[in-house]
């Protein structure tokens, strides 16, 4: 039953991602404009160039904030990533065990690997 629920949520997340691809492309373009505005603002030396590049950066920021559907798509990407990680039910963190020369400890480690 758990896998059925994960599958249904995964399908919904995938449909949401596909529906918001255009908005995410717009977000990527506006983020590139914002980055270019900030980059060239920091490199410019004249006041006029700083004003122009600040206006470009503000325009990029406003268009990025206006792309609310793209943020929903990004949340759906995170949800789909989480569902794919939880599909097998395995923990993502692994415990690192130190190898020792003790034969009983090595036997226990090998026995644990066999029983998995």
């Amino acid at each position: 039953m758990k896998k059925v629920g994960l599958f249904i949520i995964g399908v919904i997340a995938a449909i949401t991602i596909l529906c918001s691809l255009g908005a995410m492309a717009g977000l990527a373009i506006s983020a590139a404009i914002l980055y270019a505005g900030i980059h060239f603002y920091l490199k410019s030396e004249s006041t006029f160039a700083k004003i122009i590049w600040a206006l470009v950066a503000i325009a990029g920021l406003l268009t990025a904030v206006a792309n609310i559907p793209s943020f929903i798509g990004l949340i759906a990407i995170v949800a789909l990533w989480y569902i794919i990680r939880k599909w097998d039910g395995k923990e993502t963190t692994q415990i690192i065990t130190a190898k020792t020369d003790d034969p009983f400890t090595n036997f226990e480690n090998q026995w644990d690997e066999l029983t998995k």
Side-chain angles (χ1 to χ4, degrees):
M1 190 67 179
K2 181 180 177 184
K3 292 216 181 210
V4 173
L6 286 175
F7 179 75
I8 291 171
I9 295 172
V11 167
I12 292 170
I15 291 171
T16 305
I17 292 167
L18 290 175
C19 289
S20 63
L21 278 178
M24 286 191 285
L27 179 66
I29 292 169
S30 62
I33 292 170
L34 174 65
Y35 175 77
I38 292 172
H39 175 76
F40 289 115
Y41 174 81
L42 293 174
K43 290 208 174 220
S44 63
E45 295 178 6
S46 69
T47 306
F48 179 73
K50 284 190 180 273
I51 291 171
I52 296 298
W53 289 117
L55 290 174
V56 168
I58 290 170
L61 178 67
L62 291 176
T63 56
V65 170
N67 279 324
I68 293 174
S70 62
F71 293 120
I72 295 170
L74 292 175
I75 292 170
I77 288 173
V78 171
L80 190 61
W81 178 79
Y82 180 75
I83 289 169
I84 289 171
R85 288 287 191 187
K86 288 292 182 177
W87 185 260
D88 291 330
K90 295 179 182 175
E91 289 290 324
T92 56
T93 58
Q94 297 177 355
I95 299 172
I96 300 173
T97 58
K99 295 194 176 207
T100 62
D101 292 333
D102 185 22
F104 296 108
T105 306
N106 289 331
F107 175 76
E108 291 295 327
N109 290 337
Q110 289 177 354
W111 184 257
D112 288 339
E113 288 177 9
L114 288 175
T115 57
K116 285 184 182 178

